[in-house]
Amino acid sequence: MFYTEYYHQSIQKTSKKAAGAAALHWERQKISDRRYSGCNRIDVHEGEVPSFGYVSSDGMEQVGVYVVLRGRNFPDGIYAYDADGRSGAPNVAGQLVKIGGKDEMKRLAEAFPHKDFLLDTPILYLFTGILERSVCRFKEGAYSRILQDVGACVGSVMLHAKAKGAKVFPLGGFVDDQVAVSLKLPSTEVPLAGLAVFPEYSELAYDSIDDGVGESAYSNRSEADPLLMAAEPGASFDAGCVSASSRYPSRFMRQNRGECIEDLSKCIRVRRLATQALPGDEFPLTPARYDSKLYGQVVNDLGKVPQRRIPFKRTSFDLDEFSSMLRWLEQGKINLFGAGLLKIWIVVFDVMFVFPGVYRYVPVRKSIYMQGGVVAAKKFVKCHVVPEEVENAAFAVVLTADLKEACNLLGERAYRYLNLNAGYIAQSLHLSGRVLNKTVRGEHFFYENDLKKLCNLPDGESVISEILVGK
């Protein structure tokens, strides 16, 4: 059994057990100073960064953003993005803080399998998870929540860049510790994803790197630490323990170490395509309301708004709006890092001209396929810790994966990719909902086994994320 499966089981909620105090094992580390005293700062103006921000699990903004620039209007170097940095100049959306020069840029490129590609990349974004910010709220589930936040942030930058005509390449394969050292990260901040951005006039073909990065991923299956993987969540952590896992009492830190790539020569590049039709009645979606260019313009005009957990209103969802929200998922890279291993289920309650039931969405085919009958709305809300926040949702998007299948292909790193992918889908639906004046909310507190049983989802699937849509 992969450690990913142990970890996912440890963060499931169940209504069948008496609620007890959650045990939190968090490495006691000094909170790092991210003020970058004495470093050179450059203002970033509105329009150069996404104005709409990204969906955050708890509003703590627990994603670190770093940018490597070459041949731009700024001096070449590695920069940390400080969203709160202000110089007093008008229309400043933050500041870039220089933390590395050309030597650090070369060392950073060595951490990626396509070194020459990285040395030619004009803009490289690197995204990290700041772990200490969410452990109090999500306990052992903090890591999966942070992964989804990072995925949402990647999606935000991706959609913003594509709206400006740029070519965007998600990068998930790199030597984790080498990136952390290059960025001078503290022990409570971990690198999780990258995004290479090229200008529209670039002659680089979209599939020239990894034959289509969005549908392939790097596996660390051959280099997973057997000592770390053998340790179960209930194992003791006494001072005499000699396994690698003894350094990490918290399960989410052990999961992160299990996902890490340490040697690119041992990694396997995996490519999958999942575009075939599914059994079940097919329901073709109507055309999207906006074309891709107009959609990008509308999205970029959106400002950042706080997330509010307010009840849904009882109202029917329009078919064109329903279809557009699903088809707009492909404005970015819907498979992002996960090699198409994430499955998208649509539980329809109240959408005009769509029979209530459980569907699978196959993006490339622009269709949904009915997989199950009507789901009772009253039973559905009881699958959640706070039922009143779920009532009257027009439909729900449930993202699942077979963790054993995913880990067999990609090793422990599969869990990272799946959650990053789920975060992008949540961000895309959130922005689409705002374009159409709808409410989209990620629901983190649900009883997984109850939800699977009610929606008749396969036993071998694990629920990675749930997103509710309504008015």
Side-chain angles (χ1 to χ4, degrees):
M1 187 173 186
F2 291 93
Y3 191 80
T4 281
E5 297 172 88
Y6 282 125
Y7 173 74
H8 188 77
Q9 288 177 5
S10 78
I11 63 174
Q12 287 182 18
K13 291 177 174 56
T14 172
S15 57
K16 302 296 188 294
K17 293 181 180 179
L24 174 62
H25 303 288
W26 168 241
E27 288 72 25
R28 294 188 178 276
Q29 302 285 354
K30 181 181 178 181
I31 302 301
S32 55
D33 183 355
R34 294 183 173 86
R35 292 174 293 183
Y36 302 106
S37 300
C39 294
N40 293 332
R41 290 175 171 267
I42 302 173
D43 288 341
V44 177
H45 296 90
E46 295 176 3
E48 295 176 319
V49 293
S51 58
F52 43 78
Y54 67 93
V55 178
S56 178
S57 299
D58 56 5
M60 293 297 290
E61 304 295 331
Q62 55 216 6
V63 180
V65 181
Y66 299 81
V67 190
V68 183
L69 298 175
R70 288 184 179 84
R72 312 298 293 173
N73 295 330
F74 303 103
D76 289 4
I78 301 177
Y79 295 84
Y81 174 60
D82 181 2
D84 298 321
R86 296 291 184 271
S87 66
N91 302 320
V92 174
Q95 291 184 317
L96 291 178
V97 186
K98 191 169 184 180
I99 61 173
K102 293 184 178 180
D103 289 341
E104 288 82 5
M105 293 167 70
K106 290 180 180 178
R107 286 196 292 269
L108 181 64
E110 296 283 353
F112 289 81
H114 302 287
K115 175 185 174 182
D116 294 338
F117 170 68
L118 264 293
L119 291 174
D120 292 334
T121 301
I123 304 176
L124 171 65
Y125 289 93
L126 296 166
F127 303 88
T128 66
I130 304 173
L131 292 168
E132 72 243 17
R133 292 190 179 176
S134 64
V135 292
C136 293
R137 176 167 170 77
F138 291 111
K139 304 296 189 287
E140 293 288 4
Y143 186 57
S144 65
R145 297 279 78 80
I146 286 174
L147 288 172
Q148 291 180 29
D149 277 16
V150 170
C153 190
V154 173
S156 182
V157 175
M158 175 193 298
L159 291 170
H160 176 80
K162 287 177 71 70
K164 293 179 175 294
K167 296 181 177 181
V168 183
F169 300 86
L171 302 172
F174 49 80
V175 180
D176 301 61
D177 290 343
Q178 190 170 336
V179 171
V181 170
S182 299
L183 298 179
K184 304 178 178 67
L185 300 182
S187 57
T188 56
E189 186 174 358
V190 294
L192 295 171
L195 196 69
V197 179
F198 284 76
E200 183 178 13
Y201 55 78
S202 170
E203 296 181 358
L204 188 72
Y206 189 79
D207 62 352
S208 63
I209 302 299
D210 203 7
D211 297 320
V213 176
E215 294 173 346
S216 62
Y218 277 88
S219 167
N220 71 335
R221 175 91 191 272
S222 62
E223 63 174 359
D225 185 342
L227 291 174
L228 183 67
M229 298 304 102
E232 299 184 15
S236 62
F237 300 102
D238 56 44
C241 184
V242 295
S243 77
S245 61
S246 63
R247 295 178 54 202
Y248 304 102
S250 61
R251 280 185 288 262
F252 59 86
M253 281 298 286
R254 291 165 62 201
Q255 173 59 34
N256 169 256
R257 294 311 302 171
E259 291 175 4
C260 282
I261 287 176
E262 297 178 357
D263 183 353
L264 285 174
S265 68
K266 296 181 179 178
C267 291
I268 304 168
R269 196 165 54 193
V270 177
R271 176 171 169 82
R272 294 180 72 252
L273 293 175
T275 60
Q276 73 277 10
L278 295 171
D281 294 336
E282 180 180 6
F283 186 91
L285 299 172
T286 61
R289 177 167 293 188
Y290 302 108
D291 63 25
S292 58
K293 186 174 181 179
L294 182 58
Y295 173 80
Q297 293 173 349
V298 173
V299 165
N300 272 335
D301 287 337
L302 299 175
K304 188 176 181 180
V305 297
Q307 299 296 299
R308 296 185 299 164
R309 304 191 72 81
I310 57 177
F312 294 102
K313 297 179 180 178
R314 189 184 298 276
T315 181
S316 184
F317 217 86
D318 181 79
L319 172 60
D320 289 336
E321 294 171 334
F322 170 76
S323 297
S324 293
M325 291 185 73
L326 294 181
R327 295 185 64 169
W328 285 340
L329 289 172
E330 294 182 71
Q331 294 295 325
K333 289 287 292 179
I334 193 168
N335 286 329
L336 204 61
F337 304 105
L341 289 163
L342 198 67
K343 301 175 180 66
I344 306 174
W345 302 83
I346 314 295
V347 185
V348 175
F349 297 105
D350 194 358
V351 178
M352 288 191 298
F353 309 119
V354 180
F355 290 113
V358 180
Y359 296 80
R360 273 279 305 280
Y361 174 46
V362 179
V364 176
R365 300 185 67 88
K366 309 293 190 295
S367 295
I368 56 176
Y369 295 81
M370 179 170 272
Q371 305 294 296
V374 177
V375 173
K378 290 184 178 179
K379 292 183 178 179
F380 181 78
V381 300
K382 291 181 179 178
C383 295
H384 299 79
V385 178
V386 187
E388 56 268 24
E389 292 185 352
V390 183
E391 290 179 336
N392 301 325
F395 67 95
V397 179
V398 181
L399 306 175
T400 71
D402 183 333
L403 295 182
K404 189 174 291 295
E405 174 198 24
C407 290
N408 274 323
L409 283 168
L410 301 176
E412 303 294 335
R413 204 169 181 88
Y415 198 66
R416 179 186 299 190
Y417 297 144
L418 294 170
N419 279 278
L420 290 171
N421 226 48
Y424 164 69
I425 290 175
Q427 174 72 6
S428 176
L429 290 171
H430 165 73
L431 293 175
S432 299
R434 292 190 56 202
V435 169
L436 299 173
N437 194 28
K438 304 299 179 185
T439 301
V440 179
R441 184 170 65 242
E443 181 54 56
H444 307 296
F445 303 104
F446 54 84
Y447 304 124
E448 179 170 335
N449 290 333
D450 295 353
L451 185 65
K452 286 171 53 180
K453 183 176 180 181
L454 179 66
C455 298
N456 198 28
L457 302 181
D459 290 337
E461 298 286 317
S462 296
V463 178
I464 303 299
S465 178
E466 183 193 26
I467 306 153
L468 304 173
V469 184
K471 177 67 174 177

